[in-house]
Amino acid sequence: WLVIAVGLVRAYLAKGSYHSLYYSIEKPLKFFQTGALLEILHCAIGIVPSSVVLTSFQVMSRVFLIWAVTHSVKEVQTEDSVLLFVTAWTITEIIRYSFYTFSLLNHLPYLIKWARYTLFIVLYPMGVSGELLTIYAALPFVRQAGLYSISLPNKYNFSFDYYAFLILIMISYIPLFPQLYFHMIHQRRKVLSRTEEHKKFE
Amino acid sequence: MKHYEVEILDAKTREKLCFLDKVEPQATIAEIKNLFTKTHPQWYPARQSLRLDPKGRSLKDEDVLQKLPVGTTATLYFRDLGAQISWVTVFLTEYAGPLFIYLLFYFRVPFIYGHKYDFTSSRHSVVHLACICHSFHYVKRLLETLFVHRFSHGTMPLRNIFKNCTYYWGFAAWMAYYINHPLYTPPTYGAQQVKLALAIFVICQLGNFSIHMALRDLRPAGSKTRKIPYPTKNPFTWLFLLVSCPNYTYEVGSWIGFAIMTQCLPVALFSLVGFTQMTIWAKGKHRSYLKEFRDYPPLRMPIVPFLL
């Protein structure tokens, strides 16, 4: 993810504008975000104590956005909303993976812990906005091309409207986002207050 | 005769909820639950879980106080199972839904397909046959719920009815939409395919019913005994030789038959999801059979002969 961050900064400095930065980090973004599927596997086989369901949700939604929306609908790749969520994800992931690495080394600087449990307050809504705006931007092109859609009649008597599906996804953010957000706020209170208590006794 | 004293504590807070003195030694847990309800009427017996250890497993209603490893003053821990609803109610609701919903689509009630199709009828014979099969299936389930099944538990948590109804009603609507659609495409191999599928469906429905009857006969009315099921004179029950839960095997078979008959992908998906769930249940049942009975036939698999 540092690769992506550096890539973004370099491309911005080279081009002078922040449009079309997607292309400069497209490959590492796809590689590293798709690689996060391993995190689901790790939960499933038990080497990581997180919930499989929660992790799946998180990772699948990211992978969906990268492949089923941004990659599939070429017209949205130049949208600013893409840069918005890529930036949010990049900062979040750099902090998150640093947190895990330092924790494993038993040498976690308070700054990293603080950053992980505080910056999400801004980064999470930022990411969600970028994601929603991107899906919204993709809609007319999906409609036009009939992307990933199948209509009747056909011999398997099945139909799927990707346009309607994307709208349903957008609607699902309404109940899901607050739940995840407030879960993080709750975690923050728990984790950061515990550190305060430890500091008092030192 | 020495009487027992029973105190009931909350399993989480250890708060003393109830103290019963002069309890008969032969009192069952069911009777104690009834006494507890008198002091806490909002916790009817079905939602009480009483246990000897706060983290232990629930005691059964039939357990007798005297036979439990307690002194003359017994301490029981209480856990609220949440609002309960009877199995019969859940089954009737979740099965009546698909029966009714499918017919809404079959008769092409307004606002489903375009207005020019309101109350029209399909010209494909397989669509009429599918309606008969689907309706028969759910009528059979309703009748079995009322007259055949003997349930070991009276109730389940209330939230299950919402979960279960969403599943059954949702899938029924999804399948019915396509099968009864004006643009429905009949099976590729025509009457041959439909005849074969119908045969599979009928055989599996008969099989499933036979197993339900055999299981019912294992358990006398009102009792909760569990015995190893064995094949009877009815050939459909001979599947017990190979499988612990042939009722599930036949059920999956019925839906596969229905999928072939209608050549409809949503039906195939419904069969797959149902198969996954039934496999989980079958494996659990198989495991408890093995645990409970030393002499359980070793050749049997949970749901698919020789394989799964």
Side-chain angles (χ1 to χ4, degrees):
Chain A
W1 285 91
L2 266 171
V3 168
I4 297 174
V6 168
L8 281 171
V9 172
R10 284 179 66 191
Y12 175 66
L13 293 174
K15 289 203 191 147
S17 91
Y18 57 84
H19 295 294
S20 311
L21 286 183
Y22 171 75
Y23 300 104
S24 47
I25 44 84
E26 181 181 357
K27 282 209 174 44
L29 178 66
K30 285 179 175 170
F31 182 75
F32 290 117
Q33 187 56 75
T34 311
L37 285 170
L38 284 172
E39 294 190 34
I40 305 176
L41 182 67
H42 296 159
C43 292
I45 61 178
I47 62 180
V48 170
S50 300
S51 130
V52 180
V53 174
L54 231 61
T55 312
S56 297
F57 239 64
Q58 184 84 336
V59 176
M60 293 308 277
S61 77
R62 295 265 191 99
V63 168
F64 178 79
L65 237 111
I66 298 239
W67 290 102
V69 181
T70 315
H71 168 81
S72 303
V73 186
K74 300 206 176 346
E75 294 87 343
V76 306
Q77 288 168 2
T78 49
E79 290 282 328
D80 294 341
S81 53
V82 174
L83 184 62
L84 192 60
F85 74 72
V86 170
T87 309
W89 293 2
T90 305
I91 302 176
T92 307
E93 296 301 77
I94 291 174
I95 297 172
R96 190 166 72 93
Y97 289 123
S98 312
F99 178 87
Y100 293 142
T101 311
F102 285 115
S103 299
L104 285 171
L105 296 171
N106 276 317
H107 198 85
L108 178 67
Y110 182 73
L111 180 65
I112 304 273
K113 185 194 282 204
W114 180 89
R116 185 195 179 190
Y117 284 100
T118 307
L119 294 182
F120 79 88
I121 295 178
V122 163
L123 293 175
Y124 211 173
M126 199 170 128
V128 166
S129 308
E131 293 170 30
L132 285 173
L133 285 167
T134 307
I135 300 176
Y136 185 71
L139 286 177
F141 302 106
V142 168
R143 219 322 146 254
Q144 215 173 31
L147 186 65
Y148 300 143
S149 301
I150 180 168
S151 62
L152 292 176
N154 61 73
K155 72 173 174 175
Y156 294 115
N157 293 302
F158 177 68
S159 69
F160 182 70
D161 185 2
Y162 192 48
Y163 181 84
F165 181 70
L166 284 175
I167 293 184
L168 272 171
I169 297 264
M170 289 176 74
I171 295 176
S172 76
Y173 273 74
I174 300 176
L176 291 174
F177 168 67
Q179 279 189 46
L180 294 167
Y181 194 62
F182 289 118
H183 172 75
M184 284 302 283
I185 297 215
H186 183 79
Q187 290 293 92
R188 176 173 201 262
R189 227 171 277 149
K190 241 179 40 184
V191 171
L192 293 185
S193 71
R194 201 191 303 142
T195 319
E196 286 305 308
E197 300 223 345
H198 282 184
K199 282 197 166 167
K200 277 196 211 132
F201 292 120
E202 267 162 27
Chain B
M1 182 175 47
K2 214 151 46 144
H3 281 159
Y4 279 66
E5 293 177 331
V6 176
E7 62 167 4
I8 301 182
L9 309 178
D10 184 299
K12 269 186 270 186
T13 65
R14 308 297 160 93
E15 180 197 333
K16 197 150 43 144
L17 297 169
C18 176
F19 185 79
L20 306 165
D21 61 353
K22 299 246 185 31
V23 181
E24 313 267 316
Q26 289 102 338
T28 58
I29 293 292
E31 286 163 9
I32 293 174
K33 283 185 181 175
N34 280 324
L35 291 170
F36 186 41
T37 304
K38 291 213 176 81
T39 53
H40 293 272
Q42 76 276 22
W43 289 327
Y44 42 88
R47 68 190 280 182
Q48 294 178 33
S49 163
L50 294 177
R51 28 181 97 169
L52 293 169
D53 178 86
K55 295 208 172 87
R57 55 166 197 81
S58 289
L59 295 168
K60 302 204 191 89
D61 280 358
E62 312 80 62
D63 289 340
V64 173
L65 187 56
Q66 202 172 28
K67 300 226 170 80
L68 295 173
V70 290
T72 49
T73 304
T75 304
L76 297 177
Y77 293 93
F78 162 76
R79 194 145 227 240
D80 181 14
L81 296 171
Q84 298 286 303
I85 184 167
S86 81
W87 273 71
V88 174
T89 308
V90 175
F91 272 26
L92 292 178
T93 319
E94 66 189 20
Y95 297 155
L99 181 63
F100 179 67
I101 289 170
Y102 191 99
L103 291 172
L104 289 176
F105 288 89
Y106 176 74
F107 288 114
R108 296 189 181 154
V109 148
F111 298 104
I112 299 178
Y113 306 111
H115 277 301
K116 69 172 180 183
Y117 297 113
D118 291 349
F119 298 117
T120 55
S121 182
S122 172
R123 56 189 171 83
H124 304 293
S125 60
V126 67
V127 172
H128 306 297
L129 182 62
C131 183
I132 294 171
C133 290
H134 188 270
S135 307
F136 171 79
H137 179 80
Y138 282 103
V139 167
K140 168 180 159 294
R141 286 219 204 182
L142 287 165
L143 292 175
E144 284 172 340
T145 304
L146 291 169
F147 301 115
V148 177
H149 294 314
R150 294 206 163 117
F151 299 99
S152 18
H153 300 285
T155 68
M156 64 166 85
L158 183 63
R159 85 186 79 87
N160 277 17
I161 196 173
F162 301 109
K163 196 166 50 103
N164 292 9
C165 284
T166 306
Y167 171 77
Y168 278 104
W169 296 14
F171 262 114
W174 196 41
M175 295 191 287
Y177 174 77
Y178 290 109
I179 299 171
N180 299 293
H181 200 283
L183 296 177
Y184 171 76
T185 310
T188 312
Y189 297 103
Q192 256 184 331
Q193 183 171 337
V194 174
K195 275 199 200 103
L196 172 69
L198 181 62
I200 295 173
F201 181 80
V202 170
I203 289 172
C204 289
Q205 289 287 281
L206 287 171
N208 178 268
F209 179 69
S210 306
I211 302 301
H212 286 160
M213 288 304 284
L215 290 172
R216 168 195 169 84
D217 290 335
L218 277 184
R219 169 179 283 178
S223 82
K224 290 184 187 176
T225 51
R226 277 185 313 281
K227 304 213 288 264
I228 302 178
Y230 282 107
T232 68
K233 291 207 192 76
N234 182 338
F236 287 111
T237 65
W238 297 352
L239 197 48
F240 269 123
L241 290 168
L242 297 175
V243 158
S244 291
C245 301
N247 48 320
Y248 293 149
T249 317
Y250 282 122
E251 180 70 18
V252 179
S254 303
W255 286 107
I256 292 176
F258 192 67
I260 297 172
M261 187 193 297
T262 55
Q263 199 166 298
C264 177
L265 186 61
V267 179
L269 290 172
F270 178 63
S271 312
L272 186 64
V273 176
F275 175 64
T276 308
Q277 176 65 83
M278 286 189 274
T279 302
I280 295 172
W281 289 338
K283 285 191 170 219
K285 188 105 212 143
H286 186 77
R287 220 173 298 132
S288 39
Y289 275 146
L290 289 173
K291 235 172 36 176
E292 188 166 350
F293 303 110
R294 281 288 121 90
D295 54 339
Y296 195 72
L299 184 62
R300 290 191 196 181
M301 294 299 277
I303 185 172
V304 177
F306 309 117
L307 295 175
L308 193 57

